[in-house]
Amino acid sequence: MSLTGMDPVFDDFRNAYPDIDVTVEQVPTADLLPRLDQEISVGAEGADVAFHASPGWFADNTQNFATLELGPAVQETGGVDRVGDQNYTGVYGFPNVISYRTTEAAPVNLEQLLDTNRDARIGIVDPRRSSPFVTYQYKVLQDAFGDDFMTRLSEANVTVVPSNPQLTEGIAAGDFDYAYPDIASITQAVIDKGAPVGIVVPEGPSVAGVHYNAAILENAAHTNAANVFMNWLMSAPGATSLARHLKPAVTPIDVEGSLPWDSVSVFDVDQWTSEAQNDWISENFAPNFG
């Protein structure tokens, strides 16, 4: 799996099912996907469950997933419809956030920040060196606030950094007043260590983010235990655990503390292709940010 901050979620699962031994390997997505592909290609008994935020990988590997056996609790929450015939499903997501130094005013959204605080030091992530989700977030911004928004952003006091971890380092060190698009689970770690930083989910139509899917691998060595885990993730207790420990969260079923699943825009893998991303960058980002 690639999601950081999941330890307390797995603790909740272990408490619910103490007889199931859970081994968790957290691997960055760029390293995780080749490893899963290798295990699939040779039929190795490696991971039982794949859990990450690369939707194209799941769409391309439906034939390599075991059939999900959904229990009554999941069926009652629409689990059959969510899975369909693809044998994988979204279980968690998050919106991109704006992080800010607590000496500054909390922003409403990026447009309001540009309109009210032109001198603010803003750190942003370079879409040419990061994931497709970053490029898509900028496109959603532009769709929400106008075709000239990237030009307006480039005219502010902006610093472009290569990745989200470097964005978090910058806001924690005081290099920026605001950071965007930020990942709350990364920045929350420095907040927990005392960094004077806050996090807000932007208001309005500019909210994009990430959905995490999960599936059982066809060559899983522990299919029964994997099915128990998948059913828990897809149930109210699993969604509640994710919403409690990984804020702000979106979950497919309505539980306390979660945002609605459809409140966060995510890209369609059939439309947001590498070509589409590169075209958007060359037409909208590169001319403004070099």
Side-chain angles (χ1 to χ4, degrees):
M1 61 161 291
S2 62
L3 181 62
T4 60
M6 281 285 289
D7 287 349
V9 176
F10 282 107
D11 288 342
D12 287 347
F13 176 74
R14 291 185 180 100
N15 289 335
Y17 296 94
D19 293 334
I20 295 180
D21 185 22
V22 180
T23 301
V24 181
E25 293 193 40
Q26 185 177 319
V27 183
T29 303
D31 299 322
L32 176 62
L33 300 190
R35 176 173 169 178
L36 291 171
D37 289 340
Q38 175 67 17
E39 292 175 357
I40 290 171
S41 68
V42 300
E45 292 184 351
D48 294 314
V49 175
F51 183 120
H52 59 77
S54 181
W57 185 89
F58 283 96
D60 290 342
N61 282 280
T62 54
Q63 73 278 9
N64 297 312
F65 301 147
T67 300
L68 291 173
E69 299 175 4
L70 304 181
V74 174
Q75 294 182 37
E76 290 171 3
T77 62
V80 174
D81 291 336
R82 297 202 304 274
V83 173
D85 59 359
Q86 60 194 10
N87 282 321
Y88 71 90
T89 186
V91 294
Y92 165 77
F94 62 78
N96 294 319
V97 299
I98 305 174
S99 59
Y100 64 97
R101 300 286 292 185
T102 53
T103 52
E104 303 291 327
V108 174
N109 54 44
L110 209 57
E111 182 179 51
Q112 177 267 344
L113 176 59
L114 294 185
D115 288 343
T116 60
N117 191 349
R118 295 294 299 175
D119 295 327
R121 299 171 302 154
I122 305 173
I124 66 171
V125 179
D126 191 336
R128 295 163 294 194
R129 303 176 64 180
S130 53
S131 77
F133 302 103
V134 173
T135 314
Y136 182 71
Q137 174 62 86
Y138 290 137
K139 178 185 181 299
V140 171
L141 271 180
Q142 191 174 57
D143 292 344
F145 299 136
D147 291 341
D148 66 338
F149 188 78
M150 298 309 293
T151 300
R152 292 167 55 199
L153 181 60
S154 70
E155 293 169 350
N157 186 6
V158 170
T159 299
V160 181
V161 300
S163 68
N164 278 99
Q166 287 174 286
L167 191 71
T168 296
E169 291 172 7
I171 193 74
D175 297 336
F176 320 128
D177 302 315
Y178 298 88
Y180 182 86
D182 201 6
I183 298 174
S185 62
I186 298 176
T187 298
Q188 187 62 50
V190 299
I191 294 174
D192 291 342
K193 294 179 181 179
V197 175
I199 292 170
V200 295
V201 177
E203 296 181 13
S206 65
V207 182
V210 176
H211 284 170
Y212 277 77
N213 292 294
I216 301 172
L217 278 299
E218 189 175 39
N219 56 341
H222 310 95
T223 305
N224 290 338
N227 262 298
V228 172
F229 178 64
M230 285 293 299
N231 273 266
W232 182 81
L233 272 183
M234 295 175 65
S235 70
T240 299
S241 178
L242 290 161
R244 179 187 303 122
H245 299 301
L246 294 167
K247 301 176 182 178
V250 295
T251 57
I253 57 177
D254 184 22
V255 296
E256 183 178 355
S258 74
L259 301 170
W261 187 247
D262 294 333
S263 66
V264 172
S265 178
V266 297
F267 65 78
D268 183 330
V269 295
D270 293 328
Q271 297 182 13
W272 197 237
T273 61
S274 295
E275 182 180 2
Q277 297 164 43
N278 291 333
D279 286 347
W280 189 93
I281 290 170
S282 64
E283 293 171 7
N284 299 281
F285 192 88
N288 289 299
F289 296 93

